[in-house]
Amino acid sequence: MSKKRKWDDDYVRYWFTCTTEVDGTQRPQCVLCNSIFSNADLRPSKLSDHFNRQHGGVGGHDLNSLKHMPAPSNQRETLKAFGVASHEDALLQASYQFAYLCAKEKNPHTIAEKLVKPCALEIAQIVLGPDAQKKLQQVPLSDDVIHSRIDEMSQDILQQVLEDIKASPLKVGVQLAETTDMDDCSQLMAFVRYIKEREIVEEFLFCEPLQLTMKGKDAFNLFRDFFLKHKIALDVCGSVCTDGASSMLGENSEFVACVKKEVPHIVITHCLLNPHELVTKTLPTKLRDALFTVVRVINFIKGRAPNHRLFQAFFEEIGIEYSVLLFHTEMRWLSRGQILTHIFEMYEEINQFLHHQSSNLVDGFENKEFKVHLAYLADLFKHLNELSASMQRTGMNTVSAREKLSAFVRKFPFWLKRIEKRNFTNFPFLEEIIVSDNEAASIGAEITLHLQQLNSFFHGYFSVGDLDEASKWILDPFLFNLDFVDDGYLMKNDLAELRASGQILMEFETMKLEDFWCAQFTVFPSLAKTALQILVPFATTYLCELGFSSLLHFKTKSRSCFNMNDDIRVAISKKVPRFSDIIEQKLQLQQKSL
């Protein structure tokens, strides 16, 4: 029987540790590549040869610290103590990282095993050799594995959001919107806004299908059940911004009634991104007929495949670069303004095409009065698009949004005065085609009537200038006139003290308004709380609109039966999964099951 070699602590200089068999035989194991050698190789020359040949003699470790490091009880803990990931940890981490990228790019789960892994194996075989290919082959990337990884990461992200909501010093704001996907399934999506440390954070909350009916009560039940499921009281919500059908999520809907019954002091706001619909409702008869004519022309061209192909060929034949006509949709409010501009800019070419196709729409389309009405509508909806686009950003609060709406409405009197003088400078398309005083007088009267109606509707519907004079210190506590504040107002002393601080003034000038008040929570908690109660509520459902765009990537014909909630959360959430914690829990579960 050959003599058994003994382990020496000096062998750690070659990045080896010792594993002991059941019979007491000691065998060296490389902590860099996980290779285990025989007892006969337990000698400096063999270990040094492997270290230099396979790992380039990589140094940098402290021998004394390695010598005195306590030996863990199992292999994985030994490697972890040396700061080196075990082979099993590396495989899991690679699998999770790919699943994360797969969800972020909104790709189908099968892309891993059908495309990415085969390509990676071929590249490894050609560039790195068969050993590297064997290692890559062990990375689990099947459809089911990717699906489970995304589910686990989604739950981790959700847990982080829920922890933040519970820790928020103020009630959170929620935005809620509903849409119908390609399977005619109604999807309810929600985002949340809360305070974390020194900033306001916006995060995805959920996207859940309404299974049977699509009433306001159904939306409320789904909304309430989400919070109950996660053991959070519904009164954590301080405000809800809604959008959608008035019967379902409108200000007078059953949903709003149920929410107010459950949380009486909650603030309900309606999305301010929908002035287009209000404008359409206030259109005089002739202008409304012109808009409907545009819709019929679009449907004639785009709704029939042969007409669409002929339309494209016709534009190529006459030497004009083809421009895509957009369908008009109610949900995507910007499309209405874009199609009116497109129709006006291509008016002559579309008119020729309608003649060529002998369409019965020709008579109404080439009417001079229609073209004048079209020009006004294109100009007006272009102004509305610019207004809506200015409010399309993260962090938009009700104060800023209503200031923009107020500024827009205040332009109406100036427009009306110019129109009285036959000056159409604010309506460039209309100014381009008006050639006679009769035309100017006729369209001027219609525009005047419409803008007057629109002005009154805007004030009633959107409550422009909602912030009262005594609360405007929120916008600028340093320039605000304290005389507007009642002497009995308890926070007047705090305002005076805040205004005296030069350091706080510098912070105000360099920080966003929301971040400035978050930073004052420790110094002036009453002022900060009052200000943030105004600034936290959502003004629009812009984030839900972005979420619905992502929904189109996940809900396709090939993925129609697919549950999207977890994928959407990983794709659009700003939070990153805690990979180390997820992998640790995964390995613990595997060990318990053995």
Side-chain angles (χ1 to χ4, degrees):
M1 180 181 293
S2 60
K3 181 180 177 182
K4 291 185 179 180
R5 296 185 174 275
K6 299 292 185 181
W7 169 261
D8 192 306
D9 286 344
D10 285 338
Y11 294 163
V12 297
R13 71 173 66 246
Y14 309 113
W15 281 100
F16 274 84
T17 186
C18 178
T19 61
T20 305
E21 303 290 339
V22 178
D23 60 357
T25 303
Q26 294 180 325
R27 300 173 63 185
Q29 179 179 16
C30 178
V31 298
L32 298 176
C33 63
N34 212 33
S35 301
I36 299 178
F37 297 87
S38 65
N39 178 263
D41 294 323
L42 195 57
R43 62 180 73 181
S45 59
K46 292 286 187 181
L47 304 182
S48 176
D49 179 64
H50 172 81
F51 178 57
N52 294 322
R53 180 164 44 85
Q54 296 295 332
H55 306 297
V58 179
H61 54 282
D62 184 355
L63 178 61
N64 291 327
S65 63
L66 293 177
K67 277 184 177 182
H68 295 93
M69 185 176 291
S73 59
N74 60 66
Q75 173 185 324
R76 182 172 175 272
E77 289 299 322
T78 302
L79 299 177
K80 187 175 179 181
F82 279 107
V84 180
S86 70
H87 185 58
E88 188 177 17
D89 285 1
L91 294 177
L92 277 174
Q93 186 171 356
S95 179
Y96 277 102
Q97 288 287 356
F98 178 83
Y100 181 65
L101 293 175
C102 180
K104 277 292 183 185
E105 294 300 320
K106 307 176 183 68
N107 287 317
H109 301 167
T110 54
I111 194 174
E113 59 180 344
K114 290 186 176 180
L115 178 63
V116 176
K117 191 171 184 178
C119 290
L121 292 175
E122 289 295 329
I123 293 171
Q125 170 68 27
I126 296 170
V127 179
L128 302 175
D131 290 340
Q133 186 187 41
K134 289 179 181 177
K135 289 183 179 180
L136 282 179
Q137 182 66 50
Q138 299 176 46
V139 179
L141 293 177
S142 69
D143 180 16
D144 291 339
V145 167
I146 297 299
H147 181 74
S148 66
R149 299 282 189 264
I150 292 175
D151 288 352
E152 292 165 8
M153 290 186 291
S154 171
Q155 292 306 308
D156 180 74
I157 291 173
L158 176 59
Q159 190 60 36
Q160 293 182 57
V161 173
L162 296 176
E163 290 171 0
D164 290 347
I165 291 174
K166 294 175 182 178
S168 177
L170 281 183
K171 293 182 182 294
V172 304
V174 177
Q175 67 170 253
L176 204 65
E178 175 266 340
T179 191
T180 303
D181 60 29
M182 59 166 293
D183 287 335
D184 294 327
C185 178
S186 183
Q187 301 284 345
L188 191 67
M189 186 174 290
F191 282 78
V192 64
R193 178 185 281 172
Y194 54 84
I195 298 171
K196 183 180 181 183
E197 297 173 352
R198 294 169 63 92
E199 63 178 348
I200 293 179
V201 179
E202 296 175 344
E203 264 297 341
F204 175 82
L205 196 59
F206 66 81
C207 178
E208 296 287 351
L210 292 164
Q211 300 293 348
L212 299 175
T213 56
M214 296 180 289
K215 299 178 181 179
K217 181 70 172 178
D218 301 315
F220 170 74
N221 289 337
L222 197 155
F223 178 68
R224 179 195 57 191
D225 291 347
F226 174 84
F227 286 92
L228 292 178
K229 176 182 177 182
H230 298 288
K231 299 179 181 179
I232 298 178
L234 195 58
D235 62 4
V236 75
C237 301
S239 63
V240 175
C241 180
T242 63
D243 188 23
S246 58
S247 61
M248 184 174 179
L249 294 177
E251 290 184 336
N252 299 315
S253 66
E254 189 178 11
F255 170 83
V256 171
C258 292
V259 171
K260 286 187 173 181
K261 183 179 179 181
E262 194 86 12
V263 188
H265 302 296
I266 197 168
V267 176
I268 304 293
T269 59
H270 192 73
C271 178
L272 300 179
L273 281 178
N274 290 305
H276 302 68
E277 189 61 32
L278 184 62
V279 171
T280 304
K281 291 178 179 179
T282 60
L283 285 175
T285 304
K286 291 184 178 180
L287 290 173
R288 187 182 294 110
D289 291 343
L291 182 60
F292 290 160
T293 299
V294 171
V295 173
R296 287 196 291 269
V297 170
I298 293 280
N299 291 338
F300 175 76
I301 297 172
K302 291 275 288 184
R304 305 174 188 178
N307 284 350
H308 193 199
R309 292 194 296 269
L310 288 171
F311 179 75
Q312 184 175 1
F314 174 74
F315 267 59
E316 293 173 354
E317 182 180 338
I318 61 179
I320 296 177
E321 185 178 354
Y322 172 64
S323 292
V324 176
L325 289 177
L326 301 176
F327 270 125
H328 161 65
T329 61
E330 294 292 339
M331 174 58 79
R332 303 295 176 254
W333 24 262
L334 283 179
S335 67
R336 186 180 292 157
Q338 291 171 348
I339 63 171
L340 288 168
T341 300
H342 286 187
I343 291 289
F344 182 81
E345 291 175 343
M346 299 186 291
Y347 178 82
E348 296 298 334
E349 292 77 18
I350 293 174
N351 192 26
Q352 292 180 45
F353 179 76
L354 294 176
H355 272 286
H356 186 269
Q357 294 300 108
S358 301
S359 171
N360 58 5
L361 297 172
V362 170
D363 293 338
F365 190 80
E366 66 181 0
N367 185 284
K368 176 63 176 177
E369 188 180 47
F370 165 78
K371 189 174 182 180
V372 172
H373 291 154
L374 173 63
Y376 167 68
L377 290 172
D379 285 325
L380 179 60
F381 279 94
K382 187 174 181 180
H383 286 305
L384 291 171
N385 276 5
E386 292 171 356
L387 171 64
S388 295
S390 69
M391 294 189 287
Q392 289 182 65
R393 65 173 177 85
T394 57
M396 176 59 66
N397 57 65
T398 54
V399 175
S400 298
R402 284 182 172 134
E403 282 181 344
K404 292 181 181 294
L405 282 168
S406 179
F408 181 74
V409 173
R410 286 173 184 172
K411 297 176 184 178
F412 288 177
F414 305 126
W415 293 357
L416 289 170
K417 288 181 180 179
R418 293 190 182 110
I419 290 169
E420 286 178 5
K421 300 176 182 180
R422 306 292 188 267
N423 182 350
F424 298 98
T425 303
N426 300 112
F427 303 92
F429 289 150
L430 184 60
E431 187 178 37
E432 179 184 324
I433 64 171
I434 291 291
V435 294
S436 68
D437 290 339
N438 290 335
E439 289 177 348
S442 176
I443 189 64
E446 293 184 57
I447 293 175
T448 299
L449 175 63
H450 182 228
L451 290 181
Q452 288 173 345
Q453 291 179 341
L454 198 57
N455 184 48
S456 61
F457 268 86
F458 259 94
H459 278 91
Y461 191 79
F462 290 118
S463 301
V464 178
D466 193 53
L467 199 62
D468 60 76
E469 196 66 35
S471 300
K472 289 186 177 179
W473 58 265
I474 294 170
L475 305 179
D476 192 335
F478 295 92
L479 295 180
F480 176 74
N481 188 351
L482 286 178
D483 292 338
F484 287 111
V485 180
D486 187 88
D487 292 334
Y489 192 52
L490 296 178
M491 288 182 286
K492 191 170 184 177
N493 291 337
D494 289 342
L495 276 172
E497 184 179 345
L498 181 144
R499 290 157 66 102
S501 172
Q503 181 180 351
I504 295 178
L505 175 60
M506 292 177 59
E507 292 179 359
F508 180 78
E509 292 174 344
T510 56
M511 299 171 70
K512 293 193 300 182
L513 184 63
E514 298 89 341
D515 294 343
F516 168 76
W517 285 118
C518 286
Q520 306 312 312
F521 237 113
T522 54
V523 186
F524 299 102
S526 298
L527 290 177
K529 182 178 180 180
T530 303
L532 290 169
Q533 284 175 341
I534 301 294
L535 299 175
V536 166
F538 284 105
T540 71
T541 55
Y542 171 62
L543 295 177
C544 288
E545 293 288 341
L546 291 180
F548 293 149
S549 298
S550 298
L551 190 66
L552 299 176
H553 293 276
F554 291 111
K555 201 70 177 286
T556 62
K557 291 182 179 179
S558 58
R559 306 168 81 183
S560 59
C561 297
F562 172 64
N563 184 1
M564 309 154 294
N565 190 30
D566 293 317
D567 280 70
I568 290 180
R569 176 175 287 109
V570 176
I572 64 181
S573 175
K574 298 175 185 177
K575 290 193 176 294
V576 179
R578 297 169 290 195
F579 290 106
S580 58
D581 294 346
I582 297 173
I583 293 172
E584 184 73 27
Q585 293 174 8
K586 189 80 171 177
L587 292 171
Q588 289 178 1
L589 289 174
Q590 290 177 355
Q591 291 174 359
K592 288 180 181 179
S593 62
L594 296 177

